Structures are given as C-alpha cells and as structure tokens.
Amino acid sequence: MIKPFSIDAQKIGNGLILLFAFLFSLNAPSASLVALLILLTYLISGDYADKWAHFKNHRVLHLSLALFLWTVFAAVYSKAQPEFLNHDLFKYKKLLLAIPFLYYLNPSHKGKMLLAFALSEFVAIAISLYKGHGFVEFIKTGQFVYTNGLRIYISEGMFLALVVFMALHWFFIEKRLKALSLIALAILLIHVAFINGRMGLLSLGFVLLYAVFLIQKSTLFRGLFLSLIAALSLVIYFKIPLVENRVQRTVAEASQVFSDSKPESIRLQYFQLSLNLFKANPILGQGPGSFHTATVQSGNPDGEF
C-alpha cells in the first residue's frame, strides 16, 4: 500500500531545506522555525527502517547526534542563567539538521540548495543598497564609508566568501555561465570592499586563493594571480585610510596579548574569559549558555562575540 504522506514528505523536506538555505544567511529568525519544521517532518514522516539504514551508513551523522546529546547532557550541570541556557539549547538543535539534510538531498537538490544560498546573498546586498551601501555613498559624495550591513559583518564576510567560491567555480567550470558568473563576481567583490570586518575579508582572501589553486593548474596563472592580489592589497592599504587604520588597530590590539595588564580590547578580554572557562572545566566543559552568562557578569555583554 502506498503511503501518500511518505511520498509528500520527500518533497516537503526538500522544499523546507531550500527555504532554510535561503533564510539562513539572511540571519532571519524564521530560519530557526524552518529548521524545526525540517526535523519534525523527518521524525513523523515514516519510513523509519530506511532512515535507520541511512543513519548507520553515515559516520558524520553519528558525530552530529553525539554532539547534540553531549550538549543536552551538559545542560544538567550548566550554571548558566536560564534564559541563556534555553537559548543555546534551542540553537544547538541545528546539530541534528545534518540527519534530514543528508537523507532528503540528492545531487540535484544540493545544487538547488547552493543556488538558494547564493540568491539570498544578492538579496542581502540589495537590502544593504536600500539601507545605505558604502558604494552608493562613495558614488554620491566620494567618501569611503563602510556599508550599513544587514548582518553581523563577521558572518557576512564568511557567507560572501562561500558565494564567491561558487561564482569562481561556475566561471571556470560552467562555460555557459561565464558571463553571468563574471557579473556576480563583480557585484560581490564591490560589496566586499565596503564591509567593515577583518575576519570576513581574511576568509574571502583564503577562499579566493583556495579556489584558484584548486581550479587552475597553470603555474603561470597562479603566479600572476598572487602578484595581482599582493599589488591590489598594497593599493587598498595605502589609498583607503579606513583600511589602513583598521590594520594598524589590529596590530596594536594583537600586541596587547603579550601585556601583563588587562587588555583594552574587548575581544581580547573575551578570549581570556574563554580560556579561564576552559581551564575551570577542560574535560566536561561549562555547559550551554555559560559563555553568555559569563560575559554579562563581566560587565561587557556583546552578542557579536
């Protein structure tokens, strides 16, 4: 007997995964709701023998489940404030998403998922144009200002790096997409130039190098590309004061690591706080919500870190 719901569950699961891929990079709260719907669809849609066989054959799923169970176990002895504990427990349900993702997705749907993720990046760029993009301000006034981004700039830079890698892949591998991928790369790189963030730009640089060395086998091309990146980096450093100031600030911040006194950098203070939390319980950890609780108690709460 054919089970209609089992047949529909595959389509529902694929659709929800595409929606999650689109919403995830936008940092939309609805992405968390969609993640919950994906898990519920997987759990109640039957075909449990097939799902169990699939789960047993993928070791990465064993690791995902183990990490989630460890997080739940750690909540038992966590001394975190209840609101932070519950927030982290709800957030870490994403550890389980690998199970329905690998079960529902075939190669065709994986491609669609990547396209949905890439599309969301261009939607984010369009929204930032409306909010006050640095490039628009530069055209209007000639002043270089950072973009008023939609998301935390650290995650924005990393998401953009992934989409740049995808566009490079399409440019070199898919001949019919060369023109479109070149336009996409131009939009992405202009947007990246006005992002206020170091980690995002570093991740983008590493991705560019990785993509070129992975896709291109020519030693001459690789050498020319490295030379271009080096020359472009020097021009950006000397011609854009904001970038030069940011680099100098990074060097000054890093030098505080070797100081015996309390660092002025909030980021370094959090690094020290993290190290102390680790030293206090290096085997079992502090449990979910503990870091956010400790930052609030230290007087420097900052959701970005």
Side-chain angles (χ1 to χ4, degrees), residues 3 5 19 42 46 64 71 82-83 86 108 112 166 195 213 217 229 237 250 268 292 298:
K3 299 179 180 179
F5 187 77
L19 182 59
Y42 178 82
S64 297
T71 303
E83 58 180 306
N86 294 331
S108 172
K112 292 177 181 178
M166 292 161 57
I195 287 180
F213 276 75
K217 306 302 181 184
I229 291 295
Y237 177 76
T250 301
L268 290 180
H292 205 160
S298 71

Coordinates of all heavy atoms in Angstrom, one line a residue, residues 3 5 19 42 46 64 71 82-83 86 108 112 166 195 213 217 229 237 250 268 292 298:
K3 N 1.9 4.9 0.8 CA 1.7 5.9 1.8 C 1.8 7.3 1.2 O 2.9 7.8 1.0 CB 2.7 5.7 3.0 CG 2.5 4.4 3.6 CD 3.6 4.2 4.8 CE 3.5 2.9 5.4 NZ 4.5 2.8 6.5
F5 N 1.6 10.2 2.5 CA 2.4 11.2 3.3 C 3.9 10.9 3.2 O 4.7 11.9 3.1 CB 2.0 11.1 4.8 CG 2.7 12.2 5.6 CD1 2.2 13.5 5.6 CD2 3.8 11.9 6.4 CE1 2.8 14.4 6.4 CE2 4.4 12.9 7.2 CZ 3.9 14.2 7.1
L19 N 14.2 26.5 1.6 CA 13.8 27.7 2.3 C 14.8 28.0 3.4 O 15.2 29.2 3.6 CB 12.4 27.5 2.8 CG 11.8 28.7 3.6 CD1 11.7 29.9 2.7 CD2 10.4 28.3 4.1
Y42 N 11.0 15.1 9.3 CA 11.8 13.9 9.3 C 11.3 12.9 10.3 O 11.2 11.7 10.0 CB 13.2 14.3 9.5 CG 14.2 13.1 9.6 CD1 14.7 12.5 8.4 CD2 14.6 12.5 10.8 CE1 15.6 11.4 8.5 CE2 15.4 11.5 10.9 CZ 15.9 10.9 9.7 OH 16.8 9.8 9.8
G46 N 7.5 8.7 8.7 CA 7.6 7.3 8.5 C 8.9 6.8 7.8 O 9.9 7.5 7.8
S64 N 27.2 14.1 14.7 CA 26.2 15.2 14.9 C 25.3 14.9 16.1 O 25.0 15.7 16.9 CB 25.4 15.4 13.6 OG 26.2 15.8 12.6
T71 N 25.6 18.1 24.4 CA 25.1 19.5 24.8 C 23.9 19.4 25.7 O 23.8 20.1 26.7 CB 24.7 20.2 23.5 OG1 25.7 20.3 22.6 CG2 24.2 21.6 23.8
P82 N 19.0 30.9 33.2 CA 18.0 30.1 32.4 C 17.8 30.6 31.0 O 17.6 29.8 30.1 CB 16.8 30.2 33.3 CG 17.3 30.4 34.7 CD 18.5 31.2 34.5
E83 N 17.7 31.9 30.9 CA 17.4 32.4 29.5 C 18.5 32.1 28.5 O 18.2 31.7 27.4 CB 17.1 33.9 29.6 CG 18.3 34.7 30.1 CD 18.1 36.2 30.1 OE1 17.7 36.8 29.1 OE2 18.2 36.8 31.2
N86 N 18.4 28.1 27.9 CA 17.4 27.7 26.9 C 17.6 28.2 25.5 O 17.4 27.5 24.5 CB 16.0 28.3 27.4 CG 15.6 27.7 28.8 OD1 15.9 26.5 29.1 ND2 14.9 28.4 29.6
S108 N 21.0 16.7 -7.3 CA 20.2 17.8 -8.0 C 19.7 18.8 -7.0 O 19.9 20.0 -7.2 CB 19.0 17.2 -8.7 OG 18.2 18.2 -9.2
K112 N 20.5 23.0 -6.1 CA 19.4 24.0 -5.8 C 19.6 24.7 -4.5 O 19.3 25.9 -4.4 CB 18.0 23.3 -5.9 CG 17.7 22.8 -7.3 CD 16.3 22.1 -7.3 CE 15.9 21.6 -8.7 NZ 14.7 20.8 -8.7
M166 N 31.7 29.8 -5.1 CA 30.7 29.2 -6.0 C 30.8 29.9 -7.4 O 30.8 29.3 -8.4 CB 29.3 29.3 -5.4 CG 29.1 28.4 -4.2 SD 27.7 28.9 -3.2 CE 26.4 28.7 -4.4
I195 N 32.9 46.2 3.3 CA 32.4 45.5 4.5 C 33.4 45.9 5.6 O 34.6 46.0 5.5 CB 32.5 44.0 4.3 CG1 31.3 43.6 3.4 CG2 32.4 43.3 5.6 CD1 31.3 42.1 3.2
F213 N 43.8 28.0 -6.8 CA 44.8 26.9 -6.8 C 44.1 25.5 -7.0 O 44.7 24.6 -7.5 CB 45.6 26.9 -5.5 CG 46.7 27.8 -5.5 CD1 46.5 29.2 -5.4 CD2 48.0 27.4 -5.7 CE1 47.6 30.1 -5.4 CE2 49.1 28.2 -5.7 CZ 48.9 29.6 -5.6
K217 N 45.4 24.9 -12.8 CA 46.6 24.0 -12.7 C 47.8 24.7 -13.3 O 48.9 24.3 -13.1 CB 46.4 22.7 -13.4 CG 45.1 21.9 -13.0 CD 45.1 21.7 -11.5 CE 43.9 20.9 -11.1 NZ 43.8 20.7 -9.6
I229 N 47.0 39.9 -6.4 CA 46.4 40.0 -5.1 C 47.3 40.9 -4.2 O 46.9 41.8 -3.5 CB 46.2 38.7 -4.4 CG1 45.1 37.9 -5.2 CG2 45.9 38.8 -3.0 CD1 43.7 38.5 -5.0
Y237 N 45.6 49.3 0.9 CA 46.1 49.7 2.2 C 46.5 51.2 2.2 O 46.2 51.9 3.1 CB 47.3 48.8 2.6 CG 48.0 49.2 3.9 CD1 47.4 48.9 5.1 CD2 49.2 49.9 3.8 CE1 48.0 49.3 6.3 CE2 49.8 50.3 5.0 CZ 49.2 50.0 6.2 OH 49.8 50.4 7.4
T250 N 44.5 46.6 14.4 CA 44.7 45.2 14.6 C 46.1 44.8 15.1 O 46.2 44.0 16.0 CB 44.5 44.4 13.2 OG1 43.2 44.7 12.7 CG2 44.6 42.9 13.4
L268 N 40.0 40.7 23.2 CA 41.0 40.0 23.9 C 40.5 39.7 25.3 O 40.9 38.6 25.9 CB 42.3 40.8 24.0 CG 43.0 41.0 22.6 CD1 44.3 41.8 22.8 CD2 43.4 39.6 22.1
H292 N 27.7 33.2 27.6 CA 26.9 34.4 27.6 C 26.7 34.9 29.0 O 26.7 36.1 29.3 CB 25.6 34.2 26.8 CG 25.0 35.4 26.3 ND1 24.1 35.5 25.3 CD2 25.3 36.8 26.6 CE1 23.8 36.7 25.0 NE2 24.5 37.5 25.8
S298 N 30.7 39.8 33.5 CA 31.9 40.6 33.4 C 31.7 42.1 33.1 O 32.6 42.9 33.2 CB 32.8 40.0 32.3 OG 32.2 40.3 31.0

